[in-house]
Each structure stands twice: as C-alpha cells, then as structure tokens.
Amino acid sequence: DIQMTQSPSSLSASVGDRVTITCRASQSISTSLNWYQQKPGKAPKLLIYAASNLQSGVPSRFSGSGSGTDFTLTISSLQPEDFATYYCQQSYSTPGTFGQGTKVEIK
Amino acid sequence: QVQLQESGPGLVKPSQTLSLTCTVSGDSISSGSYYWAWVRQPAGKGLEWIGRIYTSGSTNYNPSLTSRVTISIDTSKNQFSLKLSSVTAADTAVYYCARGLWFGTRDYFDYWGQGTLVTVSS
C-alpha cells in the first residue's frame, strides 16, 4: 500500500491567516491526489481533485499543488467555516489510502 | 442532485457478518464513468478505503480486508452493498458509501453518504 503522511497533524490559526497543509506519498503518485474537508459528525467533502483542480462550488481560497510525492493544500485566507479536519487521499493505486488528517483549530 | 444513503443494522455481534446497503438517488447507478465505494472511520480516527465496485461487477478490495469483504451491486434497485464477515470490535466504525468519478486517468470521491455507525459488541 502507498502510505500518505500529512503534516502538521494539527494547527491553530486565526481568521484571515494563510494556511498550508502538506501531504507526502511513500512513492510517486503523479497527480493522483485528492483533498477532502471533514467537519465533526459529517461526511468528508471533496475540495481538490487530481492535485490542483478545484471542485465545483468550493471557494477559490482553496488551492492545491504538487506532483510526484509532495503535495500542498493552501487556504489563502482562513474563514470561520474552514475550521475542520483535512485529509489527502491518493488514487494512484488501490487501496486508495488517506493521510492521517490535519485538524485546523481556532487560535 | 445525487444522494447516497446507507442503511443496515447499527449493532452486530462479534464473529457475525456486517451488512450495509447504499441507496443511490438522483441518478442511475449504471450511468457515467463511476464506481461505487465504501470507506470507514473508527471514532476519532482517520479514513480507511474498504473497496469499490463498478456496474460491470468488477471489484477492488483493500488487501487488509479482502478475505472478509464482499461488495455487490443491484442496478435494478440502484443500490450497492457491503458485507464484512467475522467482525470484531476493531470493525466498529462509521461506514460511508461514496461515488467515485474518473477524471481522465485520475479518480476521486465526489459524493458521499451521511455515514452510519456500526458497533460490534455482544
């Protein structure tokens, strides 16, 4: 299985801050990398697919970049509704493993 | 608007078989470049990919579960199902069904069910 490692595991930030979350794959996965947002008690929500494509309806303050083994999710200006846990997922090969998650908390 | 809804027992005894169904509404389960998947999440933990099925019946399973898992599809009912045998407490989790969509050679989950908690306990 391909292992996905996110960093940091958690972070505290203020509204308006620029936030960056990284995800590293244990082997090259090209751009087969997706990002999801999950709020407590809710299903994950797709934010970014194929590393850098913004899902329809997702605010443009979210962006993704990277290829190969290193990927980044950036929130350009953190909003109150963005406090949640974020997961990366590789879809290069099955099983489509997820990172352990990054919890974004209010500072 | 596509919607997915999980259903099934919320409590399963150890060594028995967990059975869940996902009902898809708003679109035909047979249309498009889709597959249908199950993902689970133990309380307070991360997401685990269980497996997927195409409308052709072709499946892929997580190797850690492959000896115990079966995913099937019923296109006439617009449903797909998960069976996990010989369950233990470690299988206690929220189980999600999801739709997978292909974007060229890349794929991702674009729609998810709300999730259903399954507890394994005697």
Side-chain angles (χ1 to χ4, degrees):
Chain A
D1 299 3
I2 297 175
Q3 305 303 313
M4 306 300 295
T5 304
Q6 289 181 232
S7 61
S9 295
S10 64
L11 65 90
S12 296
S14 301
V15 172
D17 284 354
R18 182 181 182 88
V19 169
T20 299
I21 299 168
T22 63
C23 179
R24 175 164 288 177
S26 60
Q27 66 181 72
S28 178
I29 57 170
S30 184
T31 56
S32 298
L33 191 284
N34 308 313
W35 290 98
Y36 301 89
Q37 176 194 66
Q38 187 179 36
K39 296 182 178 179
K42 300 294 186 183
K45 172 188 172 184
L46 177 68
L47 298 176
I48 301 286
Y49 62 93
S52 60
N53 294 272
L54 190 68
Q55 172 68 348
S56 176
V58 174
S60 59
R61 62 181 179 273
F62 291 93
S63 64
S65 64
S67 66
T69 60
D70 294 314
F71 301 86
T72 299
L73 174 70
T74 299
I75 309 172
S76 60
S77 178
L78 197 65
Q79 298 301 300
E81 60 268 31
D82 300 337
F83 292 96
T85 300
Y86 294 84
Y87 292 93
C88 63
Q89 182 226 358
Q90 66 82 17
S91 60
Y92 184 80
S93 66
T94 58
T97 42
F98 293 85
Q100 82 279 16
T102 295
K103 187 173 184 179
V104 177
E105 298 176 301
I106 302 172
K107 195 171 191 179
Chain B
Q1 176 77 348
V2 176
Q3 292 186 313
L4 292 82
Q5 178 69 57
E6 305 89 350
S7 59
L11 181 64
V12 181
K13 289 181 167 47
S15 80
Q16 293 191 342
T17 296
L18 177 160
S19 296
L20 295 174
T21 295
C22 182
T23 301
V24 179
S25 59
D27 197 5
S28 168
I29 202 170
S30 301
S31 67
S33 300
Y34 306 134
Y35 59 82
W36 306 91
W38 291 95
V39 175
R40 70 180 181 179
Q41 184 173 38
K45 296 189 178 180
L47 300 159
E48 180 179 27
W49 191 97
I50 298 173
R52 69 184 178 193
I53 189 166
Y54 292 85
T55 52
S56 65
S58 175
T59 55
N60 301 103
Y61 298 136
N62 190 321
S64 69
L65 299 169
T66 193
S67 63
R68 299 193 292 129
V69 68
T70 302
I71 298 175
S72 59
I73 192 165
D74 187 337
T75 54
S76 67
K77 294 182 178 179
N78 236 36
Q79 295 176 333
F80 64 105
S81 299
L82 169 70
K83 291 189 185 298
L84 184 65
S85 64
S86 304
V87 297
T88 69
D91 295 309
T92 295
V94 174
Y95 286 75
Y96 295 101
C97 59
R99 187 179 83 169
L101 176 63
W102 284 94
F103 173 69
T105 58
R106 312 289 186 254
D107 62 290
Y108 53 90
F109 297 129
D110 62 342
Y111 286 99
W112 295 68
Q114 65 185 28
T116 188
L117 174 62
V118 179
T119 301
V120 178
S121 175
S122 55

